[in-house]
């Protein structure tokens, strides 16, 4: 089960790389926000499939995404996510 937690952390890092490389999202802050929520929900789904705690998974993914993904968002998307 530890490998699933490591994969969840990797998913948070993948979201940061995706937001940095996805140039088509720069003009659309709504799509950026949808991508952030989508990666969070994907981590929750993966943890539920593996019968792990979804709350802990969202906590870990949120911490990783707030540290890495937040700075790759546009200014208006950063304001919207807080």
């Amino acid at each position: 089960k530890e490998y699933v937690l490591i994969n969840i952390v990797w998913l948070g890092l993948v979201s940061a790389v995706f937001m940095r490389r996805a140039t088509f999202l720069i003009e659309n802050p709504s799509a950026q926000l949808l991508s952030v929520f989508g990666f969070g929900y994907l981590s929750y789904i993966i943890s539920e499939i593996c019968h792990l705690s979804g709350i802990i998974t969202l906590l870990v993914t949120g911490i990783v995404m707030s540290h890495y993904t937040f700075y790759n968002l546009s200014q208006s998307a950063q304001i919207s996510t807080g």
Side-chain angles (χ1 to χ4, degrees):
K1 293 188 178 191
E2 293 83 19
Y3 66 91
V4 176
L5 181 61
I6 292 170
N7 287 336
I8 297 302
V9 170
W10 277 107
L11 185 63
L13 294 174
V14 165
S15 73
V17 171
F18 175 76
M19 292 307 240
R20 181 175 213 115
R21 302 277 188 235
T23 56
F24 61 91
L25 292 177
I26 292 173
E27 301 87 23
N28 195 350
S30 299
Q32 288 180 348
L33 293 176
L34 185 63
S35 298
V36 169
F37 291 128
F39 276 109
Y41 189 66
L42 181 63
S43 68
Y44 175 78
I45 294 297
I46 290 171
S47 68
E48 288 296 319
I49 289 172
C50 297
H51 302 288
L52 299 173
S53 174
I55 301 297
I56 300 299
T57 301
L58 285 175
L59 177 70
V60 170
T61 305
I63 290 170
V64 171
M65 288 177 70
S66 70
H67 188 70
Y68 294 106
T69 306
F70 180 76
Y71 299 105
N72 293 324
L73 296 174
S74 66
Q75 188 69 26
S76 59
Q78 284 181 357
I79 292 169
S80 299
T81 57

